Amino acid sequence: MYTLRITGEGFPNACYYRSKIQILIDDFVPFADLMHPADSDKLDVVDALFTSNADDIVPIRPKDIPWWVPDSHWWWRVPTRDDWSEEEINAKINDYYDDDWDS
């Protein structure tokens, strides 16, 4: 759910949950054992959403990335643009206030 909102306010939460899944995989059980067989490709889908939207995601400031996140968790640093204006950031992060949500 958060991954579908990564170009808005969902990016930090998507990263957090993606890291939790990776920690489970790395330290406890293979991903295939965690998921129903029909969902076995979902992690690849999530990672593809991160990379395909990299130009449209407001980056997380390095000081706001949790200390425990290893460099191998690349999704925290996937955004490619670093020239966002404050107005652009506010529009992206607060886009759920658009008129289409008022109904």
Side-chain angles (χ1 to χ4, degrees):
M1 178 177 79
Y2 288 115
T3 307
L4 297 175
R5 305 255 335 132
I6 60 174
T7 61
E9 87 292 346
F11 182 59
N13 284 328
C15 289
Y16 182 74
Y17 286 113
R18 177 63 180 86
S19 285
K20 288 171 100 174
I21 291 168
Q22 191 64 48
I23 290 167
L24 285 172
I25 294 167
D26 291 346
D27 294 343
F28 299 104
V29 64
F31 185 69
D33 293 344
L34 287 173
M35 301 301 295
H36 185 279
D39 294 328
S40 63
D41 69 333
K42 296 306 181 209
L43 203 55
D44 293 334
V45 171
V46 166
D47 289 349
L49 284 170
F50 279 126
T51 56
S52 66
N53 289 289
D55 290 341
D56 210 24
I57 300 171
V58 176
I60 298 172
R61 296 178 300 195
K63 71 178 189 128
D64 293 334
I65 296 174
W67 63 268
W68 51 265
V69 172
D71 289 340
S72 61
H73 292 203
W74 56 267
W75 43 90
W76 288 89
R77 294 173 261 302
V78 78
T80 55
R81 272 189 62 198
D82 60 359
D83 61 346
W84 292 85
S85 70
E86 194 66 34
E87 185 175 288
E88 287 176 306
I89 292 171
N90 288 336
K92 280 285 188 188
I93 292 178
N94 298 315
D95 70 347
Y96 55 87
Y97 289 120
D98 286 348
D99 292 336
D100 60 344
W101 289 90
D102 288 340
S103 55

